[in-house]
Amino acid sequence: MGVRSLGYAVVETTQPDRWDHFLTQVAGAMRGRATSDGAAFYRVDERPFRFRIETGTTDRLAASGYEVADAAALGALAEKIRAAGQPVEPGSPELAASRCVAGLFRTSDPAGNALEFYYGDQREDAPFVSPVGVPRFITGEYGMGHAVLAAPDFDKCHAFYRDVIGFHDTDLPHFFLMGGDHDPGMRFAFMHADNGRHHSVALAEMPVPPSACVHLMLELPTLAEVEKAHARMVAGGYKESATLGEHVNDEMTSFYVQTPAGFDLEVGCDGLVIDPATWQVTAHDKISKWGHVWAWQTEAASGAA
């Protein structure tokens, strides 16, 4: 058994109130129980949190946490990561309690992206109730959603996630986003865990941004719920990073909004469910079937006019 799914995101912020508004009033997350260390929990299902928001001196994704089956799997993965030359910091009981897990360790990939691996999730008895009426998010065996991280040394990072951690390739495209003869293109690796979500992590061949993340994704049950979230984004005055559109590879209909940390949150529906046992790796050459006009494209077009 390898990685089960993306379990949670830990975000450091200088703007905890802005994150509270963003998560509850735009995304539709529920405030979780109080913590002893001052962090804020936000739920999208029965897990005590999917977003842990910590007040600090920077605005960034502090870590993405991935679940494995049990203590034996956690120990075996830690040894593989050590053998690959990456640091492994065993989690204290206090750290495990702060993540609502039985055990964990911290590490980083070759690009410096912070990762946590854990086993033994907790669950809340109190039902999930969205403050803006979101009926549910698509989680369960598929996990929280997915994370897209920057990988400037693409080949080294890709090999680490595939050969050391044990993610599996789903789609390996090479996108030419700028166009023209001098566009070198950008490689991506969309990788699935041991579940049917098209990808639980993706790597983009680009410098690591100050926010330490390209985007996170949450999946809603219907297009109507996505459209409601889009309307909440507009009403809240948040920047739309990409308009509503449908992706080619995972078939998700979604939009992107800039979070208070600077990275994006993709909010979508109808993502492709694959069979991990039989999936054949693809290499699409287009990002989207329609839509997904990016803010930088609009700004470039306005500048050229």
Side-chain angles (χ1 to χ4, degrees), residues 160-243:
F160 176 75
Y161 280 85
R162 182 191 61 215
D163 302 333
V164 179
I165 296 176
F167 284 102
H168 313 283
D169 290 335
T170 312
D171 188 42
L172 300 175
H174 192 155
F175 295 134
F176 295 88
L177 304 176
M178 304 303 294
D181 295 337
H182 301 293
D183 182 2
M186 182 183 296
R187 291 179 292 173
F188 281 77
F190 295 88
M191 309 181 79
H192 61 272
D194 290 344
N195 70 68
R197 194 181 288 284
H198 180 273
H199 57 283
S200 292
V201 68
L203 305 174
E205 188 178 24
M206 60 182 287
V208 176
S211 65
C213 182
V214 179
H215 76 256
L216 300 175
M217 186 281 293
L218 292 176
E219 186 172 1
L220 292 168
T222 65
L223 178 58
E225 291 299 328
V226 173
E227 291 171 333
K228 290 176 187 176
H230 188 274
R232 295 192 297 267
M233 172 197 71
V234 174
Y238 292 91
K239 180 180 178 180
E240 181 181 63
S241 299
T243 62

Side-chain angles (χ1 to χ4, degrees), residues 7-32:
Y8 57 79
V10 180
V11 176
E12 181 181 356
T13 184
T14 63
Q15 309 171 79
D17 291 343
R18 190 65 168 160
W19 265 102
D20 180 82
H21 184 270
F22 178 81
L23 287 173
T24 61
Q25 302 305 307
V26 178
M30 171 188 181
R31 295 184 187 94

Side-chain angles (χ1 to χ4, degrees), residues 105-176:
F105 67 83
R106 287 169 154 171
T107 187
S108 59
D109 68 17
N113 295 302
L115 302 168
E116 297 179 358
F117 293 94
Y118 72 90
Y119 79 97
D121 251 342
Q122 294 179 17
R123 292 292 184 266
E124 297 281 28
D125 293 329
F128 167 72
V129 179
S130 169
V132 293
V134 175
R136 64 187 179 94
F137 289 83
I138 306 301
T139 58
E141 67 179 285
Y142 305 124
M144 171 185 173
H146 69 237
V148 179
L149 305 173
D153 190 339
F154 184 82
D155 292 326
K156 187 174 183 179
C157 283
H158 182 208
F160 176 75
Y161 280 85
R162 182 191 61 215
D163 302 333
V164 179
I165 296 176
F167 284 102
H168 313 283
D169 290 335
T170 312
D171 188 42
L172 300 175
H174 192 155
F175 295 134
F176 295 88

